[in-house]
């Protein structure tokens, strides 16, 4: 049994939506359905994956604008983010209009997630880490056996998430990265919300915002 993943950049924001699945059962999930749901469905059909649920790292438009429509289309539950992001989800229609996205609907997740929760993916299990800072309710999904994490907009290759949005906090963001993500291990690869993959070790050594050398 192993976790498989295809990264599918969607919308003009090129957000790294991920189709993830258990190769033993071919049952899976979409992480951060930011839009282009027909394309996401086509990729699931291509791989023969049955989408059982939608996972959401946080409530920003480019990560969540397609969630309500895709969940309704498939009749599947939504898991995540943390409840502190409800105000971002409620603002999706206004944000879509402001940025020229197709109309987006707010939603209430079938299951809010908190630190220490797990989500099931076929026969696999992903750990949930609450990592506030970019948004207050941001969560990260980590599959330890695959040494892979889906970190949304917390951490990027060579950078970190913005913290100047409402209820963002730079100190919280740095703490989330250094105290919740880096301890998972240098070898962990991560899928950021935008741009190329990296590893926690690479960022711990060289990221100008959160490298060890900045913290004595």
């Amino acid at each position: 049994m192993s976790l498989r993943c295809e990264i599918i950049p969607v919308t003009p924001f090129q957000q790294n939506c991920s189709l993830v699945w258990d190769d033993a059962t071919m049952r899976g999930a979409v992480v951060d359905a930011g839009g282009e749901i027909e394309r996401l469905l086509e990729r699931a059909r291509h791989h023969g994956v049955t989408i059982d649920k939608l996972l959401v790292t946080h409530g920003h438009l480019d990560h969540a604008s397609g969630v309500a429509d895709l969940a309704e289309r498939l009749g599947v539950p939504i898991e995540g983010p943390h409840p502190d992001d409800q105000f971002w989800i409620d603002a999706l229609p206004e944000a879509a209009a402001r940025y020229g996205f197709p109309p987006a609907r707010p939603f209430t997740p079938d299951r809010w997630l908190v630190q220490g929760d797990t989500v099931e993916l076929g026969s696999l299990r992903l750990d949930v880490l609450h990592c506030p800072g970019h948004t207050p309710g941001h969560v990260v999904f980590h599959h330890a056996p695959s040494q892979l994490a889906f970190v949304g907009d917390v951490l990027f290759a060579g950078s970190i998430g913005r913290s100047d949005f409402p209820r963002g906090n730079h100190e919280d963001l740095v703490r989330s990265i250094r105290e919740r993500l880096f301890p998972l291990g240098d070898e962990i690869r991560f899928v950021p919300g935008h741009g190329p993959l990296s590893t926690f070790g690479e960022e711990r050594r060289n990221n100008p915002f959160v490298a060890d050398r900045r913290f004595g």
Side-chain angles (χ1 to χ4, degrees):
M1 298 182 298
S2 64
L3 182 146
R4 300 286 305 279
C5 171
E6 181 184 355
I7 299 167
I8 310 165
V10 295
T11 82
F13 284 48
Q14 289 294 282
Q15 187 270 125
N16 286 334
C17 174
S18 296
L19 175 67
V20 295
W21 68 94
D22 168 16
D23 68 358
T25 65
M26 299 306 292
R27 307 195 78 84
V30 174
V31 181
D32 286 353
E36 300 186 43
I37 63 173
E38 295 299 334
R39 184 168 163 227
L40 301 180
L41 292 169
E42 188 282 324
R43 296 313 296 164
R45 287 192 295 269
H46 171 80
H47 291 290
V49 173
T50 299
I51 298 171
D52 282 340
K53 64 184 62 176
L54 305 183
L55 304 180
V56 185
T57 64
H58 66 294
H60 280 170
L61 173 70
D62 52 328
H63 291 254
S65 69
V67 170
D69 288 346
L70 185 56
E72 182 178 90
R73 173 86 166 263
L74 295 174
V76 299
I78 302 165
E79 298 189 14
H82 182 283
D84 283 351
D85 262 20
Q86 181 69 69
F87 78 104
W88 279 115
I89 296 171
D90 291 341
L92 285 171
E94 177 188 352
R98 184 186 316 127
Y99 289 102
F101 272 53
R105 294 187 291 144
F107 57 89
T108 299
D110 297 273
R111 181 189 177 200
W112 294 107
L113 298 173
V114 299
Q115 174 71 19
D117 278 347
T118 60
V119 297
E120 293 183 358
L121 200 65
S123 61
L124 308 179
R125 181 171 294 180
L126 282 68
D127 298 313
V128 175
L129 299 99
H130 179 212
C131 293
H134 178 65
T135 70
H138 200 302
V139 297
V140 165
F141 300 100
H142 172 229
H143 186 243
S146 300
Q147 299 185 335
L148 185 65
F150 301 87
V151 304
D153 285 352
V154 172
L155 181 66
F156 302 100
S159 188
I160 61 174
R162 290 176 57 180
S163 55
D164 58 339
F165 295 115
R167 295 185 62 192
N169 184 286
H170 178 76
E171 289 75 21
D172 286 349
L173 181 63
V174 171
R175 189 177 306 112
S176 292
I177 294 166
R178 290 192 53 81
E179 297 183 8
R180 292 204 164 155
L181 298 187
F182 285 176
L184 297 175
D186 285 355
E187 69 282 1
I188 302 296
R189 290 184 307 140
F190 67 89
V191 179
H194 308 266
L197 278 65
S198 183
T199 67
F200 290 156
E202 172 65 23
E203 303 312 309
R204 188 175 61 78
R205 289 185 294 270
N206 297 311
N207 189 300
F209 300 95
V210 289
D212 285 352
R213 65 178 180 272
R214 285 186 55 88
F215 298 89

